[in-house]
Amino acid sequence: MIIESMLDPFFRRLELRDTLSNEEKLALQRAAHEHRFYKASADLVVQGDYPDVSSLLLTGLTSRYNLTDRGFRQITAIHVPGDFVDIHSFTLKKMDHSVGALSDVAVLTFPHAALQEITEKFPHLTRLLWLMSTLDGAIHRRWLVAMGRTSATEHLAHFVCETYMRLESIGLASAHRMVLPITQEELGDVLGLSAVHVNRVLQDLRRQDAVRWIGNEIEIPDWARLAALGQFDGDHLFLERLPR
Amino acid sequence: MIIESMLDPFFRRLELRDTLSNEEKLALQRAAHEHRFYKASADLVVQGDYPDVSSLLLTGLTSRYNLTDRGFRQITAIHVPGDFVDIHSFTLKKMDHSVGALSDVAVLTFPHAALQEITEKFPHLTRLLWLMSTLDGAIHRRWLVAMGRTSATEHLAHFVCETYMRLESIGLASAHRMVLPITQEELGDVLGLSAVHVNRVLQDLRRQDAVRWIGNEIEIPDWARLAALGQFDGDHLFLERLPR
DNA sequence: CGGTTAATTGACCCACTTCAAGCGCGGTGG
DNA sequence: CCACCGCGCTTGAAGTGGGTCAATTAACCG
């Protein structure tokens, strides 16, 4: 059963960047197919798959990751509700990475056939879906910069700011507090660091009182300072409402 | 003056992934607007710009890059002829990075208004353009993995393989030889390394005879070995012809 | 032939890794 | 109700990949 309100985080995400007509909303609702659930640490899609649906994340967190020959893992993206975890599989067809659940998650699937129909009937909506995948690309680029040219501390600070702003923008965080079900091991896989070093860097941020992080609960006591530390500005999140 | 054959590298690139109809080719030709030239190290677009055209690279090489607070540069993508250097600006509107010329380059501009028209009249072609930007994303992800989880040597080996395969696929390299107008400084900005270390790593590859690199000319005497070193397979380049 | 940019080399340093051990806590089963 | 287990967090010690600084050489160029 597809409940209309399920799409709210997605509509919200789109409407942060442009306006959506009612017909477009309806078209998206009609394109939605199936409600699926996954347990924490389950894989939604596996590298090499040729999925015939794309999954919109409704609740929980997921990550895109790859494994290297030596068994190391690199997480290349984190998804929050309202994100398509694999909209790019619509054009790429084959998965170049896996998608795993960081927590228990619920998704809504969109058959590629239905997405194709949207590209045939709703050009503006198509451009918005296209936009969603280019937003992914912008975050990838920002991560490359953080990984290649900033210290571990700066990188972590940046990640915290970015994740907070993404959650906040869809109404899932506020007052500089958020809940993030991610282990230090996983954080290392995001940042390209060892878990041990993540721990040390995190303690460094705590010592400066740049973040308060207890279990899953994170608080940012001084946003401006953490943002400066991480060289964070929200530019690469494109939270600007423009005709697209 | 737009000469039809200018679009050949682009058609070639698209046709490696799907079939293009004659109408679609014509539509692309009509959408092309202006021929532009840039000198090596000039910027085609600057971070923060709101361009109203996207540029298709015809000859030469360009890079996408960002500068950090401390003046470090990170290159997040390299473009070869047939690549759109900023197709994502069509949906993103604002540039989250600059694009610089690595050599003298020629591009063909496509006004966003003309691209919009394509999205309204040519759904399949639209999906192919969308595909081009998701291909960028796949390369970004692969770079994140290489940067976060492989050694400098592996990373460089991977970059050489990837670049060769991209050039080879559009007919600009063959027999495991290519010409790459890139300095060790710039290579460092690609890999997230210092120029000094790039030099050492390159010499290490030379010592193993994994690459022969003299000036701009590169030869890969043993492809399988370099690919194994860099954990390279072409999967993330999606050189598979499929209906999209 | 001087001037400039790129490649190279050496010496030293440090950010981050690896390995290893200990700790805290929630969950489970007897 | 408690003992035990396992996972995630924390800490220490030692090693290393890659950075920085500085000087030299090579290649090019007008």
Side-chain angles (χ1 to χ4, degrees), chain B:
Chain B
M1 178 86 309
I2 313 288
I3 321 263
E4 289 159 34
S5 66
M6 282 180 184
L7 281 166
D8 280 351
F10 184 49
F11 291 162
R12 183 150 189 172
R13 183 163 180 237
L14 291 174
E15 286 177 326
L16 285 165
R17 277 94 179 179
D18 196 359
T19 49
L20 262 184
S21 72
N22 280 330
E23 279 121 46
E24 288 171 335
K25 290 187 183 182
L26 269 172
L28 283 169
Q29 268 167 33
R30 276 195 309 268
H33 176 55
E34 211 175 49
H35 203 189
R36 290 187 189 166
F37 302 89
Y38 299 87
K39 282 285 172 200
S41 92
D43 280 329
L44 286 72
V45 199
V46 175
Q47 182 168 8
D49 281 358
Y50 286 80
D52 57 3
V53 301
S54 286
S55 297
L56 178 69
L57 185 58
L58 299 179
T59 62
L61 292 188
T62 60
S63 72
R64 295 185 188 156
Y65 69 89
N66 288 78
L67 300 174
T68 68
D69 284 0
R70 306 216 183 99
F72 291 109
R73 182 169 63 157
Q74 177 66 47
I75 291 177
T76 60
I78 294 282
H79 297 109
V80 302
D83 289 351
F84 262 107
V85 306
D86 58 353
I87 183 84
H88 49 294
S89 75
F90 171 57
T91 52
L92 292 177
K93 302 305 174 198
K94 184 174 178 178
M95 293 299 294
D96 60 311
H97 60 80
S98 302
V99 178
L102 288 172
S103 63
D104 291 354
V105 303
V107 303
L108 197 53
T109 61
F110 289 74
H112 288 172
L115 294 178
Q116 178 162 338
E117 227 181 295
I118 287 178
T119 66
E120 274 148 17
K121 295 186 188 152
F122 297 92
H124 175 254
L125 183 53
T126 301
R127 293 195 297 273
L128 289 186
L129 293 177
W130 183 351
L131 170 65
M132 295 300 107
S133 65
T134 52
L135 286 178
D136 282 349
I139 295 178
H140 289 332
R141 283 190 288 276
R142 191 62 192 79
W143 285 28
L144 279 167
V145 175
M147 195 171 259
R149 293 303 190 201
T150 72
S151 71
T153 308
E154 294 169 312
H155 193 176
L156 176 55
H158 185 274
F159 176 75
V160 172
C161 288
E162 180 188 82
T163 306
Y164 174 77
M165 191 172 268
R166 289 173 66 192
L167 286 171
E168 201 254 7
S169 75
I170 50 165
L172 289 183
S174 61
H176 296 137
R177 293 160 175 282
M178 61 180 166
V179 174
L180 216 51
I182 191 171
T183 67
Q184 295 183 3
E185 187 82 39
E186 290 160 339
L187 216 40
D189 291 339
V190 166
L191 305 174
L193 299 171
S194 68
V196 170
H197 199 61
V198 167
N199 184 278
R200 290 183 168 128
V201 164
L202 180 51
Q203 285 180 60
D204 183 35
L205 288 182
R206 282 184 184 129
R207 209 169 305 120
Q208 302 176 48
D209 199 32
V211 294
R212 293 177 191 154
W213 191 318
I214 299 166
N216 288 338
E217 313 211 338
I218 303 173
E219 184 185 350
I220 304 166
D222 183 345
W223 175 264
R225 200 149 52 79
L226 189 66
L229 240 174
Q231 300 185 39
F232 178 84
D233 58 48
D235 286 1
H236 68 292
L237 300 178
F238 294 85
L239 294 166
E240 196 180 1
R241 213 153 177 215
L242 290 171
R244 316 256 179 185

Side-chain angles (χ1 to χ4, degrees), chain A residues 11-41:
Chain A
F11 291 161
R12 184 151 188 172
R13 184 165 179 235
L14 291 173
E15 287 177 326
L16 284 165
R17 278 92 180 181
D18 196 359
T19 49
L20 262 184
S21 71
N22 281 328
E23 279 121 48
E24 288 170 335
K25 289 186 183 182
L26 270 171
L28 284 169
Q29 270 166 30
R30 277 196 308 270
H33 176 55
E34 211 175 48
H35 203 190
R36 291 186 189 165
F37 302 89
Y38 299 87
K39 282 284 171 199
S41 93

